[in-house]
Amino acid sequence: MSGPKQTKDVFSVLVLCLLWYVVSSSNNVIGKMVLSEFPYPMTMTMVQLLSITIYSGPLFNMMGVRKYVDISWDYYFKLIVPLAFGKFFASVFSHVSIWKVPVSYAHTVKATMPLFTVILARLIMKEKQTMKVYLSLVPIIAGVAVATVTEISFDMIGLLSALGATMGFSLQHIFSKKVLHDTGVHHLRLLHILGRLALFMFLPVWLIFDMYNLYTHASEALSDTRILLLLFTDGVLNFLQNIIAFSVLSFVTPLTYAVANASKRIFVIAVSLFILGNPVTYTNIFGMLLAIFGVLYYNKAKYDAKQQQQKETILPYSQKLFHDRNYSIYNNGYNHLNGQNGYNGSVQTNGNGVPHQMAQNNNHSNSMHDSMTATRHQAKSNILFL
């Protein structure tokens, strides 16, 4: 019974990962195409946030996703609002980076997310990492540095924007996990909340920076049906990408998800190079692969650190419980042997010349020893199940 179910789950994950890779690659390629002809990254961000807000409610209701949970206003302004701000902040800078530099280079720079995560977790959460985790950051930094030096279409604004977007995504990752843990809100509902709030927060910014430019300079572009269709498609693909990513995460472990995400980045880079055809050198490709390898090594190091922490938490408790069990059994047996039938000064012997009391005590002691031995074996085997 478990065989067919396990096969079905594996097949579902493979299909979802394939869809995730295809949708993400298409989203990035179409985004680059739009920004090449329609250089308004803030408007593209507005379209994506609007898509999340419009599509999420009806779709999640059809999927039966549970409704909102009660969140205090204090917690709302302390964590939810900064998360929403970070969402449109990271989205804007991500679009600026794709606008200024090739998709392949932008995603290589985004491979530095573990570096930002480690630094921000240390500053905000006071979280320390193992030496293995710190060492895993070396190939990431080296790979991005090599890719940057050898990037033919290098642009400083594109580099800084990609780094800013990566920092924003790292902050979202850290605080989203905290919100999901603290409130118990469904992850898809959290996506809806953040998308809707980010839309209203971003609207004044878009009106100031892009609305006037669109009115004065982009009227011809907006009248082009092809541009409008690409903008609409980009918004839909971005929304689907978020849904599929959360669905994959619900099926697999965090390590598997992290590896799948790193593999997706390789897929996106390869597809963008093949379709968009931006020129690259072999050294540039080596830098990209080195950065991706660093990301995979970082995920493995984080997983090993988590497993070691769990062992250190469980084993001392199990050993203490094992010791307490044996100590209690020994004391109970000793008190029982010495407390029954107090000594009255007379000695009665059995046929072998052994006092009756001593014989009874020896028999009882042997039975208690067998009982203690059996209990020790039972306690030893139960350590694995505590």
Side-chain angles (χ1 to χ4, degrees):
M1 191 72 174
S2 61
K5 184 179 184 301
Q6 185 177 9
T7 303
K8 182 180 178 181
D9 290 342
V10 171
F11 179 75
S12 300
V13 170
L14 290 177
V15 171
L16 283 173
C17 284
L18 181 61
L19 288 174
W20 189 22
Y21 293 2
V22 171
V23 170
S24 181
S25 301
S26 303
N27 186 211
N28 280 273
V29 170
I30 290 177
K32 182 64 175 180
M33 293 170 60
V34 172
L35 289 170
S36 298
E37 302 179 31
F38 184 75
Y40 296 94
M42 290 193 179
T43 298
M44 182 169 286
T45 300
M46 175 60 67
V47 171
Q48 290 186 356
L49 295 177
L50 189 63
S51 299
I52 293 175
T53 303
I54 293 176
Y55 305 144
S56 293
L59 180 61
F60 294 164
N61 290 334
M62 290 174 57
M63 293 171 59
V65 178
R66 64 177 182 267
K67 299 292 184 179
Y68 306 126
V69 297
D70 292 332
I71 301 176
S72 65
W73 283 109
D74 181 64
Y75 191 90
Y76 194 86
F77 285 105
K78 186 177 179 180
L79 282 177
I80 304 296
V81 171
L83 264 177
F85 175 81
K87 184 171 183 60
F88 82 71
F89 174 86
S91 182
V92 168
F93 278 99
S94 180
H95 289 134
V96 171
S97 67
I98 294 177
W99 172 36
K100 290 292 185 179
V101 296
V103 173
S104 57
Y105 177 65
H107 275 267
T108 303
V109 175
K110 289 179 182 178
T112 57
M113 185 177 293
L115 174 63
F116 284 98
T117 301
V118 168
I119 294 175
L120 293 173
R122 183 74 177 98
L123 294 176
I124 299 173
M125 303 293 185
K126 307 300 180 184
E127 181 180 320
K128 295 182 179 179
Q129 308 295 336
T130 63
M131 181 57 66
K132 192 175 179 181
V133 171
Y134 288 124
L135 289 176
S136 68
L137 300 177
V138 175
I140 297 177
I141 298 172
V144 173
V146 171
T148 300
V149 171
T150 58
E151 176 57 45
I152 298 175
S153 305
F154 175 78
D155 183 270
M156 182 57 71
I157 295 178
L159 171 62
L160 296 178
S161 298
L163 290 173
T166 306
M167 183 182 68
F169 288 131
S170 298
L171 282 172
Q172 285 187 70
H173 176 71
I174 293 172
F175 285 107
S176 293
K177 290 173 61 177
K178 179 173 176 57
V179 171
L180 291 172
H181 178 268
D182 292 346
T183 64
V185 63
H186 195 281
H187 51 265
L188 294 181
R189 288 296 180 188
L190 179 60
L191 171 65
H192 186 196
I193 294 172
L194 295 179
R196 185 177 59 181
L197 183 57
L199 174 66
F200 289 109
M201 293 175 64
F202 183 60
L203 183 59
V205 180
W206 177 75
L207 291 174
I208 294 173
F209 286 95
D210 260 14
M211 182 64 180
Y212 178 75
N213 289 331
L214 287 174
Y215 178 76
T216 56
H217 300 99
S219 56
E220 293 182 3
L222 288 175
S223 62
D224 188 348
T225 306
R226 177 174 173 273
I227 297 295
L228 293 177
L229 182 60
L230 287 175
L231 278 172
F232 171 78
T233 305
D234 179 77
V236 173
L237 289 175
N238 180 263
F239 174 70
L240 291 177
Q241 182 183 184
N242 282 277
I243 299 299
I244 296 173
F246 277 122
S247 300
V248 171
L249 183 59
S250 67
F251 268 99
V252 301
T253 63
L255 175 64
T256 304
Y257 176 81
V259 172
N261 193 27
S263 303
K264 182 207 75 172
R265 202 172 297 282
I266 299 176
F267 192 87
V268 171
I269 292 173
V271 169
S272 68
L273 289 175
F274 178 75
I275 295 180
L276 299 176
N278 56 285
V280 291
T281 63
Y282 287 110
T283 309
N284 189 244
I285 295 176
F286 170 75
M288 295 177 185
L289 294 177
L290 182 60
I292 298 299
F293 167 77
V295 173
L296 294 174
Y297 183 60
Y298 166 82
N299 293 326
K300 182 63 168 61
K302 286 287 289 183
Y303 175 78
D304 292 342
K306 183 177 180 181
Q307 292 296 102
Q308 184 63 32
Q309 184 180 10
Q310 289 179 348
K311 288 181 181 179
E312 292 175 355
T313 302
I314 294 174
L315 287 179
Y317 174 78
S318 303
Q319 292 172 355
K320 180 179 183 300
L321 183 59
F322 174 74
H323 176 269
D324 290 346
R325 282 179 178 175
N326 290 339
Y327 185 77
S328 176
I329 292 171
Y330 176 80
N331 279 345
N332 289 339
Y334 179 81
N335 293 335
H336 182 73
L337 289 173
N338 288 280
Q340 70 172 8
N341 299 329
Y343 179 69
N344 56 11
S346 62
V347 179
Q348 298 178 355
T349 61
N350 59 12
N352 296 324
V354 179
H356 285 296
Q357 183 65 33
M358 184 179 296
Q360 292 174 359
N361 288 349
N362 286 338
N363 291 335
H364 194 78
S365 177
N366 290 334
S367 65
M368 285 298 298
H369 175 74
D370 294 339
S371 176
M372 289 166 62
T373 302
T375 306
R376 284 193 185 99
H377 288 298
Q378 183 181 5
K380 185 176 181 180
S381 63
N382 285 342
I383 288 177
L384 299 176
F385 304 98
L386 294 175

